[in-house]
Amino acid sequence: MVQDLTGQFETIRDPWETNYAALVPRFSGGSSAICSLLIIYVILRSHKKLSTTYHRIMASMSVTDFLASVAMTLTSLPMPKEMPHEKEYGFSWAGTRLGTTQTCNVQGFFFQFGFTATITYNTILCVYYVCSLVIQMSEKRIHRFVEPVFHAVAILFGLVSAIPPLFLELYNPSDSTYAWCGITTYPHQCTTWDDVDCVRGNG
């Protein structure tokens, strides 16, 4: 039997449960997704297209950013219509929830993969500048010896950060961290409370 813990969880709530939490990421995430598509479009319409390492890095980074941005833009829509014992725990989420646990997992996976890979590609872009401008490696040598490592590292980091939470049931709605499904236990911070059992994410 689940206790009514509404009062106990009041201390960890914040404005994430207001309507602004569901609306603001739709504009910021949507703008980011559109800008990423524009970058890809400009690259593909350029004279060099994807023939340079720089263009391929930028295009790849735009693709991963697009994935994360779309996941963020959906905000509460992929969240399960009802989480277990949410009334007893006193949780509420802003926005319309139309999804299931599976759609929440998909949203969380693509956000985590895209976010991590995008950050990695940003770092890789800096390394590319070092190779090109400081070390003065030729474009041919970068393409042959360095670029494959660039893409492998970015994709690997993204997958390593995104896959384990699927098996650990860690992609869940959070009432105080995200306005979308992300890495968190359910109930949020249940691992810090002695008398609250984690329903998802304590494996």
Side-chain angles (χ1 to χ4, degrees), residues 48 87 145:
K48 294 183 179 180
K87 293 181 180 178
F145 298 108

Side-chain angles (χ1 to χ4, degrees), residues 132-148:
S132 179
L133 301 178
V134 179
I135 304 178
Q136 295 186 342
M137 293 180 64
S138 66
E139 177 73 15
K140 185 176 181 180
R141 287 179 62 84
I142 294 175
H143 170 63
R144 182 175 180 182
F145 298 108
V146 184
E147 187 181 352

Side-chain angles (χ1 to χ4, degrees), residues 90-106:
F91 282 106
S92 62
W93 289 272
T96 303
R97 292 185 285 160
L98 302 175
T100 63
T101 300
Q102 287 71 32
T103 58
C104 188
N105 283 337
V106 171

Side-chain angles (χ1 to χ4, degrees), residues 179-194:
W180 53 88
C181 291
I183 297 179
T184 182
T185 56
Y186 176 78
H188 181 59
Q189 293 187 355
C190 62
T191 55
T192 64
W193 299 86
D194 294 333

Side-chain angles (χ1 to χ4, degrees), residues 6-29:
T6 303
Q8 186 171 6
F9 280 96
E10 288 289 343
T11 57
I12 62 172
R13 290 186 182 176
D14 60 20
W16 285 113
E17 65 180 38
T18 68
N19 288 328
Y20 293 106
L23 293 175
V24 173
R26 292 178 185 173
F27 289 101
S28 58

Side-chain angles (χ1 to χ4, degrees), residues 29 32-33 35-36 60-70 114-115 117-118:
S32 179
C35 290
S36 293
S60 299
M61 182 165 58
S62 298
V63 169
T64 56
D65 179 73
F66 176 78
L67 294 176
S69 298
V70 169
F115 178 75
T118 300

Side-chain angles (χ1 to χ4, degrees), residues 29-194:
S31 300
S32 179
I34 291 172
C35 290
S36 293
L37 288 178
L38 286 175
I39 291 174
I40 295 172
Y41 174 78
V42 170
I43 290 174
L44 295 179
R45 292 281 296 177
S46 68
H47 176 69
K48 294 183 179 180
K49 299 187 187 304
L50 295 174
S51 63
T52 67
T53 299
Y54 174 72
H55 277 190
R56 288 189 291 270
I57 292 174
M58 288 299 300
S60 299
M61 182 165 58
S62 298
V63 169
T64 56
D65 179 73
F66 176 78
L67 294 176
S69 298
V70 169
M72 185 172 67
T73 301
L74 294 174
T75 61
S76 64
L77 295 178
M79 290 183 182
K81 292 181 180 179
E82 185 174 351
M83 293 295 290
H85 312 304
E86 66 176 75
K87 293 181 180 178
E88 291 88 342
Y89 288 133
F91 282 106
S92 62
W93 289 272
T96 303
R97 292 185 285 160
L98 302 175
T100 63
T101 300
Q102 287 71 32
T103 58
C104 188
N105 283 337
V106 171
Q107 181 187 37
F109 175 86
F110 279 109
F111 174 79
Q112 185 64 27
F113 171 79
F115 178 75
T116 304
T118 300
I119 291 177
T120 306
Y121 270 120
N122 268 287
T123 305
I124 285 170
L125 188 61
C126 297
V127 176
Y128 166 75
Y129 286 138
V130 171
C131 292
S132 179
L133 301 178
V134 179
I135 304 178
Q136 295 186 342
M137 293 180 64
S138 66
E139 177 73 15
K140 185 176 181 180
R141 287 179 62 84
I142 294 175
H143 170 63
R144 182 175 180 182
F145 298 108
V146 184
E147 187 181 352
V149 178
F150 283 167
H151 297 293
V153 168
I155 294 172
L156 182 63
F157 277 21
L159 291 176
V160 167
S161 71
I163 291 177
L166 283 175
F167 296 96
L168 298 175
E169 297 185 339
L170 278 170
Y171 288 129
N172 300 294
S174 170
D175 75 332
S176 60
T177 308
Y178 314 98
W180 53 88
C181 291
I183 297 179
T184 182
T185 56
Y186 176 78
H188 181 59
Q189 293 187 355
C190 62
T191 55
T192 64
W193 299 86
D194 294 333

